[in-house]
């Protein structure tokens, strides 16, 4: 039994703690709004917490914060079925805040009244946004509005009220204002008398107080307590703010009550057509002389759209001459430009009969450029797509244009002798067409060392250097050694090549020997007689030298050893007898 009691007590304490915590959370976070099924629970928690707040100033701040929350609730619920309930809770919260302020210490009164003033402005904005109120809400809204207006007037003059008496008079002034609505104006100062709710006066329909006017104190315009005959023209109050040479006297024609800088002049409303009457001083130098409306809109000067057709403008240069660059085409702008964009230029050469290209484009020619018309190479849409038609311009003197592009030691004749007009590469020289017979005049620099000194055509064809074949007969070449001496092997016969070789091949050489090749037992073996090679010979390889010496001495022949062939040209004894 004891355990059960302890458990029950613990459960009860837990429920109490949870309940208290929930109420504290509701009073702090305030997630619910009037009309919610559990809002009364939140309202109970809020009121309970207000009673335990320590200190009069802190309690007044709490109630001001609570009234601000109810104001936000009204803004959200103003078009719902709970709007009337939201007004009720806001009205009560405002009364509680006022009561708490009257109980606060005098030293905190200035701060609290400033906070109250901010709250009143927010409530005023919320009420001004109320539209199409159901019948049951009109009275509640107007009573709350009357209270707000009275508080605004009171707070506007708080510096003139004895602060010691302020807390005692605040509630009484609100009650007097409410009584003025219900029973007339007796005992209430004229400037504190409120118009009947919903009346044109209460709504200030004769001069709507919005924008900057919404924050005006009534006494700013009705300082002497008189309402009838109060000026309602802008200029009556703002004459000191009007700049010199300002348009008209009706500020509302351009300005709104929200800001002087927010200017919106309705040209159509005042039927103004003479733009220059007002804007002539804004016109730049050399500006188009007609009305501003020909180009500009009434909403923005920068949005320019000039309608050339509408004003039948065809002489472009009458306006745009100063915009032409140096050396620009002298005709009308419309020959190239459209009326919407200067940069989208497209010159129609045919339309203006333009055939003398150089009259406009001579300044764009590179150095050493073709001196004829641009159209010989270029088209009118693109400079880079150039194609020169030589035949069309009768161009036959290639060098008059292309001499500067020749490599060093290049053929000095016309380019057409080798090149085609479509490409420099793939060149083929027509020797016959060019009448070129002096090969060395062009090709001397390409000869190898110790090369034949005659014309290239003696060996080579005009189609290829390779496959050369020398025609000795055509060239009249008889001195073989003049060309081939450097190709002889060591100890070679030093006579003419033709004595052994033919002109078709080095191999198969046959020496025309006057001395019998089968002399003695030589049998065609050259070394038998020429052991050292060359043309020197020695007979003593076969004949006994001493015997030959004695025999020749007997006949009185001396120095015979090197002169055998003088007496024996055929190798026989007695040949020379």
């Amino acid at each position: 039994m004891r355990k059960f009691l302890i458990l029950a007590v613990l459960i009860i304490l837990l429920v109490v703690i949870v309940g208290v915590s929930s109420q504290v959370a509701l009073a702090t976070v305030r997630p619910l709004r009037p009309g919610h099924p559990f809002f009364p629970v939140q309202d109970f928690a809020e009121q309970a917490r207000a009673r335990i707040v320590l200190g009069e100033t802190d309690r007044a701040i709490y109630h001001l914060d609570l009234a601000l929350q109810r104001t936000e609730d009204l803004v959200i619920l103003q078009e719902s079925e709970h709007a009337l309930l939201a007004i009720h809770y806001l009205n009560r919260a405002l009364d509680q805040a006022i009561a708490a302020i009257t109980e606060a210490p005098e030293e905190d009164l200035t701060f609290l009244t400033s906070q109250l003033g901010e709250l009143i402005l927010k409530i005023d904005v919320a009420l001004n946004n109320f539209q199409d109120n159901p019948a049951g809400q009109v009275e509640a809204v107007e009573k709350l509005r009357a209270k707000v207006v009275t508080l605004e007037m009171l707070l506007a003059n708080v510096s003139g009220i004895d602060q010691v008496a302020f807390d005692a008079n605040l509630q009484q002034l609100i009650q007097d204002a409410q009584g003025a609505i219900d029973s007339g104006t007796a005992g209430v100062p004229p400037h504190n008398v409120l118009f009947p709710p919903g009346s044109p006066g209460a709504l200030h329909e004769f001069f709507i107080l919005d924008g900057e006017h919404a924050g005006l104190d009534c006494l700013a315009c009705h300082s002497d307590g008189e309402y009838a005959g109060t000026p309602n023209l802008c200029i009556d109050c703002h004459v000191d703010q009007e700049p010199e040479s300002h348009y008209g006297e009706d500020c509302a024609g351009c300005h709104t009550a929200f800001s002087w800088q927010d200017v919106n002049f309705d040209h159509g409303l005042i039927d103004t057509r003479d733009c220059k009457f007002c804007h002539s001083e804004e016109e730049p130098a050399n500006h188009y002389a007609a009305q501003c409306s020909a180009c500009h809109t009434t909403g923005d000067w920068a949005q320019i759209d000039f309608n050339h057709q509408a004003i039948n403008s065809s002489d472009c240069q009458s306006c745009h001459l100063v915009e032409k660059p140096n050396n620009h085409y002298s005709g009308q702008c419309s020959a190239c430009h459209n009326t919407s964009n200067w940069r989208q230029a497209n010159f129609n050469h045919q339309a203006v009969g333009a055939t003398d290209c150089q009259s406009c484009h001579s300044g764009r020619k590179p150095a050493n450029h073709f001196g004829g018309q641009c159209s010989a190479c270029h088209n009118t849409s693109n400079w880079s797509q150039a194609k020169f038609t030589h035949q069309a311009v009768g161009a036959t003197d290639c060098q008059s244009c292309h001499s500067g592009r020749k490599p060093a030691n290049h053929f000095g004749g016309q380019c057409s002798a080798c090149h085609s007009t479509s490409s420099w590469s793939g060149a083929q020289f027509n020797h016959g067409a060019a009448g070129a017979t002096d090969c060395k005049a062009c090709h001397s620099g390409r000869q190898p060392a110790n090369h034949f000194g005659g014309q290239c055509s003696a060996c080579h064809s005009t189609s290829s250097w390779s496959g050369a074949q020398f025609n000795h007969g055509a060239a009249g070449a008889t001195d073989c050694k003049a060309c081939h001496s450097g190709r002889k092997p060591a100890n070679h016969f030093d006579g003419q090549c033709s004595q052994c070789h033919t002109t078709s091949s080095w191999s198969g050489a046959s020496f025309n020997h006057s001395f019998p090749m089968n002399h003695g037992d030589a049998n065609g073996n050259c070394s038998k007689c020429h052991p050292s090679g060359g043309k020197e010979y020695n007979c003593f390889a076969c004949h006994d030298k001493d015997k030959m010496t004695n025999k020749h001495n007997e006949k009185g022949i001396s120095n015979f050893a090197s002169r055998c062939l003088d007496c024996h040209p055929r190798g026989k004894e007695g040949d020379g007898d």
Side-chain angles (χ1 to χ4, degrees), residues 17-52:
I17 292 172
V18 171
V20 171
S21 299
S22 299
Q23 289 196 7
V24 171
L26 285 173
T28 303
V29 180
R30 302 167 190 162
L32 307 178
R33 296 186 177 87
H36 192 279
F38 293 104
F39 179 78
V41 177
Q42 177 180 303
D43 179 62
F44 175 79
E46 292 171 347
Q47 298 300 319
R49 183 179 177 184
R51 287 191 289 273
I52 63 173

Side-chain angles (χ1 to χ4, degrees), residues 142-154:
E142 293 307 323
K143 285 186 177 182
L144 180 58
R145 194 190 303 275
K147 185 181 295 185
V148 167
V149 171
T150 303
L151 282 169
E152 286 177 339
M153 291 189 294
L154 174 64

Side-chain angles (χ1 to χ4, degrees), residues 256-272:
T256 67
F258 292 89
S259 171
W260 283 117
Q261 306 302 323
D262 185 17
V263 180
N264 184 18
F265 183 70
D266 191 346
H267 294 74
L269 186 63
I270 62 171
D271 193 28
T272 179

Side-chain angles (χ1 to χ4, degrees), residues 124-125 128-129 203-216 234 238 252 255-259:
D124 193 15
V125 172
N128 286 337
N129 289 335
L203 300 177
H204 220 276
E205 291 181 349
F206 46 85
F207 192 88
I208 301 300
L209 298 176
D210 57 1
E212 293 296 320
H213 293 134
L216 291 174
C234 307
H238 300 293
H255 304 277
T256 67
F258 292 89
S259 171

